[in-house]
Every structure is written in C-alpha cells, then in structure tokens.
Amino acid sequence: MDLMGMMGKLKETQQKIEDTKKRLDTVLIDEQSADGLLKITLTANRKVKSISIDDSLLEDKEQLEDYLIVTLNKAIEKATSVNEKELDAVAKMDMPMIPGMDNLFK
C-alpha cells in the first residue's frame, strides 16, 4: 500500500473512531446492587447518567457509601468492556497492519 493511501485510511479510521465514541455516549449501561436498593446508569463512555437510591439506604451513610463504591465499580467495568470492544472493532476493521501501531488507538 502506498503512503498516501495509508494516510487516507488512517484519517478515515480516526473519523470512524470519533463517530463510535459519539455513539457510545448514547449506549446506556444499567447496574444495580444485589438487592436492587441502588441503581446506576452510565454511558458506554463512562459518564454517570442517573443514580437511584432507595430511601432505606439514606439512614446509614457508611452502607450507602459501600453500595455506591461496589455498584459504580461494576457499572464502570461493564461500560469499559463495551467501550473497548467497540473501539477495538472499528480500529482493527479498517487499519492496515503496521508493525508497532497496534496500540495507537487505546
């Protein structure tokens, strides 16, 4: 492949990655505590969209903090997984294999 062709392909792939990032802002990840008392929704880009807290959790600050930590971490883990899979798929689909460039879009 010629250098100009590769540069054009690189620009095209970068645009597809940016488009995918924008789309991931609309992909919602829902997570809740095991008992359903705390519910969190994030985008696949790991932005918190909503948190719902059952009134019973408001009586114990430490318990609420624990719930938030556990549930937020699970939600972030799920969102990160979706995000990475989507972006990896776009990058790998369109990129010519150039040695040393496989981590360029991470």
Side-chain angles (χ1 to χ4, degrees):
M1 182 179 264
D2 67 283
L3 188 57
M4 291 305 290
M6 278 189 357
M7 294 305 288
K9 194 76 164 157
L10 184 59
K11 263 191 175 319
E12 185 181 311
T13 300
Q14 285 175 322
Q15 184 58 51
K16 286 182 181 179
I17 288 172
E18 288 307 311
D19 292 345
T20 300
K21 285 180 181 178
K22 286 179 189 162
R23 185 178 58 77
L24 289 173
D25 276 333
T26 68
V27 175
L28 299 180
I29 309 296
D30 294 313
E31 185 60 57
Q32 66 180 7
S33 59
D35 56 13
L37 296 179
L38 177 71
K39 297 175 183 168
I40 295 173
T41 301
L42 327 167
T43 69
N45 281 329
R46 299 173 294 273
K47 301 276 188 272
V48 176
K49 296 301 271 183
S50 69
I51 297 176
S52 172
I53 302 169
D54 187 271
D55 288 342
S56 65
L57 290 176
L58 299 177
E59 298 163 15
D60 185 342
K61 182 179 182 281
E62 275 187 37
Q63 181 185 19
L64 175 56
E65 289 169 346
D66 290 343
Y67 268 66
L68 282 166
I69 290 168
V70 169
T71 309
L72 274 167
N73 282 333
K74 283 198 287 185
I76 290 167
E77 198 174 289
K78 279 185 182 177
T80 298
S81 177
V82 169
N83 184 288
E84 288 175 353
K85 284 178 188 164
E86 292 287 324
L87 291 176
D88 282 351
V90 171
K92 288 178 183 165
M93 176 177 58
D94 289 328
M95 282 302 295
M97 291 313 296
I98 303 169
M101 303 266 300
D102 51 342
N103 289 324
L104 182 65
F105 297 107
K106 290 191 175 187

